[in-house]
C-alpha cells in the first residue's frame, strides 16, 4: 500500500463530466429532452420524464463510436483513430394508472435505466523533437532524496526497494529510484550515503520523442426512478442513482538523442493506471404544461459521492554508452502500487428546459444546465495532499453551462430529427480544454407496439495535454472529433 496519492485535477474532472448517451431518439435531438419526457433516456436528465409515458415501455440501444485525434507536438502531426461498439443504454418504464377518477393523482410510474455516461476508450499518439528530456522528470524528483534510499542494500532486489519506497516515501521516491537504477543521473558525491543532489547523464540538446496515451473503460449510471402525474399538467419525479467507474490508462514515452556528452542515448518509460469506483447521487425534477402544447421544466442533480480505488505500475528501460560499449538497462519492479481508497465528490447540476409540441406534426425543445466544477472535492479533507489538490481545483476549474437544442418532424409513422449542443469548458484556461460543439441527426419509424430508431452525432473539442507534471512539461495539442451512431429498439406493452 503506497503512502502517497496519484490523483490530480484531470482525474477529478474525468469522473465529473458526462457525455450525451441514451436512445437514438434522445441522441438525435442532442439530448434536448428535459421538458419533453416520454423517452426512457429522458428520465436520466429529468426524473419527471417517465411520468409522461402513457403505457409500459422498454428500449435497448447499441452505440458505435469513432474517435479521431489529431495531435501536434513541436509541429509534428499525427492522426489516430479508435472505434468500438457498446451497449450504451437499456431501460424500462412501468405505468400504474389511478383508477380513482376523482383523485388529482392520475398515475405513478416506476423506471429502471442504465446509461453509459462516459466511454473512456481512446488512443492518442504524438511525436516530435524538443529540447527537454524525460531525464529531467526523474532528476527533479531525485533532488533532496538521500542516496542510500536509492541504492540496493545487501540482498535487496529492485522489487523490494521499490515496494519499500512506495510504502514509506511515496511515488516521487519510486520515480527517483527508477531513474537512478536506469543510470539517468549520478550523485554529486557518490561516497556520501546522505548525498541529496544529482546530475543528469543526458546532455542538453535535441530529443526525439514518441508518446502513446491509451485509455479503456466506462462510467455507467444505474437509475431507479419514481414519478407521478398531478392533474393534467404537472409531473414530478425522483431518481436514485448508482455510479460505476472502470478505467484503465497506459502511457509510454520513447526518447532518443545523439547529443555530444550524453551517456544515456535512449529511454523508454511506461506507466499504467487501473481505477475502480462506485458512487451515489439523486435527482429531483418537474415538468409543467403551461398550455396544451407548451412545457417548462426544472431539475436538480445532487453531487455524486464516489469511493475510488487505484493501482499503478511502472517500467523503465534505458540504453547508455560507456567506454564505447552499448549497455541496455531494464528496471522492471514487477510491483503493483495499491493506493488507499479515497473519496471524490463531483458537483451537482441545475437544469431547465422549454418545449413546444405541434400536435402530431413535431416538436422543438431547448435545454440549459449549469454546473460549477470548482466545487469538485477530494477527501478526507484533512489529508495534506488533498488540501493542496482541492485548492488547485478551485484555482483551475470554473462553472460551465451546457446548451442543447433539438427538433422532430413527423410524417405519418416516420420521424425526422436533428439537434445541436454546446458545452463550455470547465477550465479557467480554455487552452487546457476548449468548448465542445456538436450536432446530431436521426430518423425513427413507429409501428405501434414497436419502434426502430437510428441517430448520428458528431462533436469537436480541442485540448492541450501536458506530458508530465515536472521536468518534461511540454504539451501535446489535440483536436478531437467524436462520432456516434446509435441503434434503438423500442417496445410498448
Amino acid at each position: 500500500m503506497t503512502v502517497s496519492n496519484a490523483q490530480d485535477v484531470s482525474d477529478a474532472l474525468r469522473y465529473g463530466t458526462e457525455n450525451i448517451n441514451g436512445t437514438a431518439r434522445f441522441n438525435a435531438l442532442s439530448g434536448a429532452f428535459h421538458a419533453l419526457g416520454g423517452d426512457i433516456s429522458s428520465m436520466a436528465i429529468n426524473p419527471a420524464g417517465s411520468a409522461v409515458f402513457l403505457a409500459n415501455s422498454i428500449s435497448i440501444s447499441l452505440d458505435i463510436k469513432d474517435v479521431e485525434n489529431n495531435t501536434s507536438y513541436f509541429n509534428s502531426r499525427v492522426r489516430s483513430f479508435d472505434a468500438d461498439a457498446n451497449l450504451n443504454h437499456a431501460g424500462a418504464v412501468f405505468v400504474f394508472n389511478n383508477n380513482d377518477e376523482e383523485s388529482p393523482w392520475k398515475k405513478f410510474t416506476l423506471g429502471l435505466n442504465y446509461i453509459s455516461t462516459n466511454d473512456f476508450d481512446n488512443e492518442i499518439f504524438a511525436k516530435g523533437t524538443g529540447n527537454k528530456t524525460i531525464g529531467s522528470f526523474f532528476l527533479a524528483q531525485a533532488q533532496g532524496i538521500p542516496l542510500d534510499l536509492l541504492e540496493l542494500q545487501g540482498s535487496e532486489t529492485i522489487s523490494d526497494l521499490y515496494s519499500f519506497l512506495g510504502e514509506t516515501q511515496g511515488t516521487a521516491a519510486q520515480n527517483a529510484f527508477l531513474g537512478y537504477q536506469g543510470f539517468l543521473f549520478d550523485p554529486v558525491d557518490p561516497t556520501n550515503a546522505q548525498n541529496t543532489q544529482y546530475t543528469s547523464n543526458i546532455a542538453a540538446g535535441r530529443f526525439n520523442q514518441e508518446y502513446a496515451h491509451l485509455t479503456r473503460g466506462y462510467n455507467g449510471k444505474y437509475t431507479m426512478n419514481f414519478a407521478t402525474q398531478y392533474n393534467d399538467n404537472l409531473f414530478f419525479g425522483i431518481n436514485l442513482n448508482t455510479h460505476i467507474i472502470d478505467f484503465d490508462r497506459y502511457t509510454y514515452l520513447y526518447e532518443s538523442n545523439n547529443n555530444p556528452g550524453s551517456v544515456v542515448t535512449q529511454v523508454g518509460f511506461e506507466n499504467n493506471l487501473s481505477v475502480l469506483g462506485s458512487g451515489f447521487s439523486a435527482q429531483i425534477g418537474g415538468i409543467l404544461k403551461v398550455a396544451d402544447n407548451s412545457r417548462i421544466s426544472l431539475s436538480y442533480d445532487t453531487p455524486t459521492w464516489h469511493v475510488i480505488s487505484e493501482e499503478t505500475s511502472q517500467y523503465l528501460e534505458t540504453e547508455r554508452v560507456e567506454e564505447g560499449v552499448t549497455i541496455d538497462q531494464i528496471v522492471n519492479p514487477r510491483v503493483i502500487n495499491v493506493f488507499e481508497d479515497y473519496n471524490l465528490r463531483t458537483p451537482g447540476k441545475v437544469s431547465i428546459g422549454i418545449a413546444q409540441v405541434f400536435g402530431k406534426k413535431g416538436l422543438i425543445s431547448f435545454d440549459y444546465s449549469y454546473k460549477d466544477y470548482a466545487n469538485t472535492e477530494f477527501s478526507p479533507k484533512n489529508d495534506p495532499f488533498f488540501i493542496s489538490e482541492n485548492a488547485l481545483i478551485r484555482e483551475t476549474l470554473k462553472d460551465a453551462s451546457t446548451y442543447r437544442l433539438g427538433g422532430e418532424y413527423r410524417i405519418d409513422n416516420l420521424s425526422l430529427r436533428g439537434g445541436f449542443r454546446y458545452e463550455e469548458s470547465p477550465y479557467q484556461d480554455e487552452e487546457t480544454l476548449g468548448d465542445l460543439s456538436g450536432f446530431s441527426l436521426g430518423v425513427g419509424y413507429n409501428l405501434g407496439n414497436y419502434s426502430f430508431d437510428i441517430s448520428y452525432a458528431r462533436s469537436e473539442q480541442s485540448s492541450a495535454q501536458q506530458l508530465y507534471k515536472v521536468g518534461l512539461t511540454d504539451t501535446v495539442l489535440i483536436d478531437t472529433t467524436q462520432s456516434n451512431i446509435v441503434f434503438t429498439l423500442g417496445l410498448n406493452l
Side-chain angles (χ1 to χ4, degrees):
M1 182 77 70
T2 56
V3 299
S4 62
N5 307 78
Q7 304 81 32
D8 60 22
V9 175
S10 63
D11 294 311
L13 189 61
R14 181 188 307 117
Y15 311 130
T17 56
E18 294 183 347
N19 279 323
I20 293 178
N21 278 300
T23 65
R25 185 183 181 215
F26 181 87
N27 282 273
L29 272 68
S30 290
F33 262 90
H34 197 271
L36 287 173
D39 183 277
I40 290 179
S41 295
S42 68
M43 66 182 173
I45 58 173
N46 186 351
S50 65
V52 178
F53 277 87
L54 300 177
N56 299 338
S57 182
I58 299 173
S59 68
I60 187 170
S61 302
L62 175 69
D63 172 45
I64 300 176
K65 185 190 75 167
D66 175 81
V67 181
E68 176 184 332
N69 291 299
N70 291 282
T71 63
S72 177
Y73 185 59
F74 292 106
N75 297 319
S76 294
R77 299 184 178 276
V78 177
R79 177 179 295 181
S80 57
F81 301 89
D82 183 84
D84 64 280
N86 293 291
L87 176 70
N88 81 319
H89 153 263
V93 170
F94 303 97
V95 180
F96 303 92
N97 292 307
N98 189 352
N99 294 325
D100 182 0
E101 296 182 357
E102 301 298 322
S103 173
W105 301 99
K106 300 302 181 182
K107 62 186 171 187
F108 300 90
T109 59
L110 170 66
L112 301 172
N113 194 38
Y114 165 77
I115 60 169
S116 173
T117 56
N118 242 326
D119 184 346
F120 297 129
D121 291 2
N122 198 10
E123 298 182 3
I124 299 171
F125 297 95
K127 64 179 181 179
T129 301
N131 57 10
K132 293 181 182 178
T133 171
I134 184 61
S136 61
F137 167 81
F138 295 95
L139 182 63
Q141 295 175 91
Q143 305 293 7
I145 296 179
L147 178 59
D148 63 350
L149 285 180
L150 305 181
E151 291 185 317
L152 299 175
Q153 307 295 325
S155 60
E156 195 172 38
T157 66
I158 293 287
S159 299
D160 292 336
L161 185 48
Y162 183 85
S163 295
F164 172 78
L165 292 174
E167 294 166 358
T168 61
Q169 305 298 316
T171 304
Q174 288 181 317
N175 290 331
F177 172 68
L178 291 180
Y180 181 72
Q181 294 296 323
F183 293 87
L184 294 180
F185 53 83
D186 283 332
V188 171
D189 184 0
T191 63
N192 180 8
Q194 297 306 308
N195 172 86
T196 58
Q197 297 299 310
Y198 303 88
T199 60
S200 178
N201 284 327
I202 302 178
R206 304 292 288 172
F207 303 94
N208 302 312
Q209 294 164 342
E210 297 178 8
Y211 179 73
H213 183 281
L214 312 180
T215 57
R216 292 291 182 266
Y218 71 100
N219 195 340
K221 181 167 74 172
Y222 297 87
T223 296
M224 178 170 286
N225 167 267
F226 305 92
T228 184
Q229 179 182 347
Y230 184 81
N231 286 325
D232 293 327
N233 61 346
L234 193 56
F235 306 85
F236 296 106
I238 185 171
N239 285 346
L240 302 178
N241 306 309
T242 298
H243 301 257
I244 301 296
I245 296 171
D246 187 350
F247 175 74
D248 293 293
R249 181 179 67 206
Y250 162 91
T251 64
Y252 183 81
L253 184 132
Y254 170 76
E255 176 184 289
S256 64
N257 77 86
N258 56 5
N259 300 330
S262 269
V263 175
V264 176
T265 57
Q266 294 184 46
V267 182
F269 182 39
E270 175 184 309
N271 276 285
N272 298 288
L273 169 68
S274 181
V275 181
L276 293 175
S278 60
F280 172 81
S281 70
Q283 297 163 277
I284 187 169
I287 298 174
L288 174 66
K289 287 185 178 180
V290 294
D292 288 342
N293 295 320
S294 300
R295 304 175 186 179
I296 59 174
S297 59
L298 173 68
S299 69
Y300 171 69
D301 296 17
T302 70
T304 302
W305 293 271
H306 299 277
V307 178
I308 298 177
S309 304
E310 292 188 351
E311 298 178 354
T312 64
S313 61
Q314 297 177 300
Y315 170 91
L316 179 71
E317 55 184 338
T318 64
E319 183 179 284
R320 68 185 189 278
V321 179
E322 293 186 356
E323 298 179 353
V325 178
T326 299
I327 303 173
D328 293 323
Q329 187 76 23
I330 295 177
V331 189
N332 187 1
R334 296 184 175 86
V335 170
I336 296 176
N337 294 314
V338 180
F339 294 86
E340 293 184 6
D341 289 358
Y342 66 93
N343 299 316
L344 173 66
R345 187 194 70 190
T346 55
K349 181 174 67 174
V350 176
S351 302
I352 60 174
I354 57 174
Q356 182 70 33
V357 179
F358 304 101
K360 295 184 178 181
K361 287 296 183 181
L363 55 88
I364 187 169
S365 179
F366 172 77
D367 292 3
Y368 168 81
S369 62
Y370 171 90
K371 181 185 288 190
D372 190 352
Y373 290 92
N375 290 331
T376 304
E377 187 174 71
F378 289 110
S379 60
K381 297 180 184 180
N382 59 354
D383 185 297
F385 177 83
F386 288 147
I387 290 174
S388 63
E389 285 301 307
N390 290 334
L392 184 60
I393 286 173
R394 290 189 291 270
E395 294 173 3
T396 305
L397 302 182
K398 65 177 180 65
D399 58 279
S401 297
T402 297
Y403 309 85
R404 302 175 183 174
L405 177 67
E408 179 178 71
Y409 181 72
R410 298 173 187 152
I411 307 172
D412 296 327
N413 293 335
L414 179 68
S415 296
L416 306 177
R417 301 159 182 151
F420 171 80
R421 66 168 169 151
Y422 181 81
E423 299 178 10
E424 295 178 343
S425 171
Y427 278 93
Q428 298 277 4
D429 177 7
E430 294 186 5
E431 290 186 2
T432 302
L433 183 68
D435 298 338
L436 180 147
S437 61
F439 71 91
S440 54
L441 300 168
V443 296
Y445 197 81
N446 193 323
L447 295 173
N449 291 334
Y450 297 91
S451 61
F452 301 91
D453 302 280
I454 183 172
S455 67
Y456 170 80
R458 178 185 173 95
S459 64
E460 297 180 351
Q461 191 171 35
S462 62
S463 60
Q465 182 172 305
Q466 185 173 299
L467 295 186
Y468 299 95
K469 294 182 181 179
V470 297
L472 184 55
T473 56
D474 293 316
T475 56
V476 177
L477 303 180
I478 309 168
D479 291 322
T480 301
T481 301
Q482 179 170 311
S483 300
N484 294 72
I485 299 176
V486 179
F487 302 89
T488 298
L489 172 64
L491 172 65
N492 293 320
L493 303 177

